Amino acid sequence: MASLRGVDAAHLVLADLDLSGCLFAGTVHLDQLRLEGACTFDTAPPAVHWRRWPPGWFTARRVLAEEHHWRASQPGAVRGWNVAVLGAGRAGPLQLAPVYRALRKAFEDGKHEPGAADFYYGEMEMRRHADDIPRSERGLLTAYWALSGYGLRASRALAWLGVAMILTIVLLMAFGIAQETPNQTATGTVPAGGGRVTFEIDKDDPQNPTGNRFTGERFEKALNVTLNSVVFRSSGQDLTTAGTYIEMTSRLTEPVLLGLAVLAVRNRVRR
């Protein structure tokens, strides 16, 4: 199939076709298109390109031919994106976002949720690169892409979770775990003639660490704090002021990363 531009796709059924070079921008009622059998699309170049900055990082997914053409026309485009042939026209992110959205809906209506995930990824990519969104929204979408691939890349979220946990452990060992466990002290006054004795229980403030901070005992304590932070639990360890803030930060960020990983797995396996 070469093109569906200008076609009314309502009640149109495509089965066992090669759609890797098909042009979809301009199709009417594209969300009502039905795809059956082995309809194949083009894919993104699954490689990391380090010879440019920022590095090009593309994971394998279904990609429309028009996105290939647009990315190949960008300055500094990496190898692997197909250049548009003569007469294919030019469609940018503003035109491709609704195309991806319509195809995603077509897959969802066909009860093919995992297949629709790639088109949701493409829709979000086009939204992130579009020129009509505020800078704040673009920054939010970029963070969502980097942390979890728009909630579709569990490995990316788990990698960030691992980095966050390692960083938390190192910071706790360096600044957060107290030098020694503070001892409790009891003070009171015994009346001369006997009678009731009242004691006051006090505990020294945790002292900042000195000397060798990276020991096996401190690592075990830091690991305990970090693992509890992932599931919103308090470790009960005696922490310095810096350690308290480090634990608070980890209890905010690490469960979010774990949740993004769970969301990505769910989006890939649900029916």
Side-chain angles (χ1 to χ4, degrees):
M1 181 71 70
S3 176
L4 284 177
R5 287 181 173 176
V7 174
D8 189 346
H11 311 298
L12 176 63
V13 180
L14 301 180
D16 300 325
L17 289 176
D18 181 2
L19 302 175
S20 59
C22 186
L23 306 177
F24 287 92
T27 306
V28 182
H29 297 138
L30 184 57
D31 59 325
Q32 299 180 30
L33 176 69
R34 288 182 57 188
L35 300 174
E36 297 182 355
C39 289
T40 58
F41 290 82
D42 209 340
T43 58
V48 180
H49 301 268
W50 298 104
R51 294 183 179 181
R52 60 190 294 270
W53 186 260
W57 180 12
F58 304 102
T59 54
R61 61 179 174 92
R62 296 180 181 91
V63 176
L64 298 181
E66 286 122 324
E67 182 179 347
H68 265 274
H69 303 162
W70 171 74
R71 288 190 182 273
S73 66
Q74 298 303 298
V78 300
R79 298 176 59 183
W81 296 107
N82 301 325
V83 180
V85 297
L86 184 64
R90 178 174 294 182
L94 285 175
Q95 293 78 30
L96 292 178
V99 175
Y100 272 113
R101 188 179 305 117
L103 288 172
R104 172 177 61 85
K105 184 177 183 300
F107 270 80
E108 290 173 347
D109 291 343
K111 308 302 180 183
H112 190 7
E113 295 286 350
D118 282 345
F119 294 98
Y120 171 74
Y121 194 104
E123 176 190 351
M124 298 297 287
E125 278 287 272
M126 294 302 99
R127 284 184 56 195
R128 183 166 69 91
H129 290 287
D131 296 328
D132 65 336
I133 64 172
R135 183 176 299 179
S136 58
E137 182 178 346
R138 179 177 286 106
L140 182 62
L141 290 176
T142 301
Y144 193 24
W145 162 78
L147 292 177
S148 66
Y150 308 113
L152 295 173
R153 300 293 186 263
S155 58
R156 197 175 302 181
L158 290 175
W160 280 112
L161 176 60
V163 170
M165 292 177 66
I166 292 174
L167 181 61
T168 300
I169 291 173
V170 172
L171 291 176
L172 285 173
M173 292 177 67
F175 308 106
I177 303 297
Q179 178 70 19
E180 296 179 353
T181 302
N183 296 320
Q184 288 187 334
T185 56
T187 58
T189 302
V190 179
R196 184 174 181 177
V197 180
T198 301
F199 288 95
E200 293 183 2
I201 307 297
D202 196 9
K203 191 175 184 179
D204 296 334
D205 293 332
Q207 300 297 316
N208 291 324
T210 57
N212 186 11
R213 307 181 184 189
F214 297 94
T215 62
E217 181 182 359
R218 292 177 63 81
F219 172 78
E220 183 179 357
K221 291 181 179 180
L223 180 62
N224 184 26
V225 174
T226 304
L227 293 178
N228 280 281
S229 297
V230 175
V231 291
F232 277 119
R233 292 179 55 190
S234 176
S235 63
Q237 293 283 351
D238 294 304
L239 302 175
T240 63
T241 302
T244 301
Y245 286 108
I246 294 171
E247 184 186 30
M248 290 171 59
T249 303
S250 66
R251 289 178 68 180
L252 175 65
T253 57
E254 291 166 8
V256 172
L257 294 172
L258 180 62
L260 288 174
V262 173
L263 175 65
V265 172
R266 177 181 179 275
N267 287 335
R268 278 299 182 180
V269 302
R270 68 178 180 177
R271 291 294 186 268

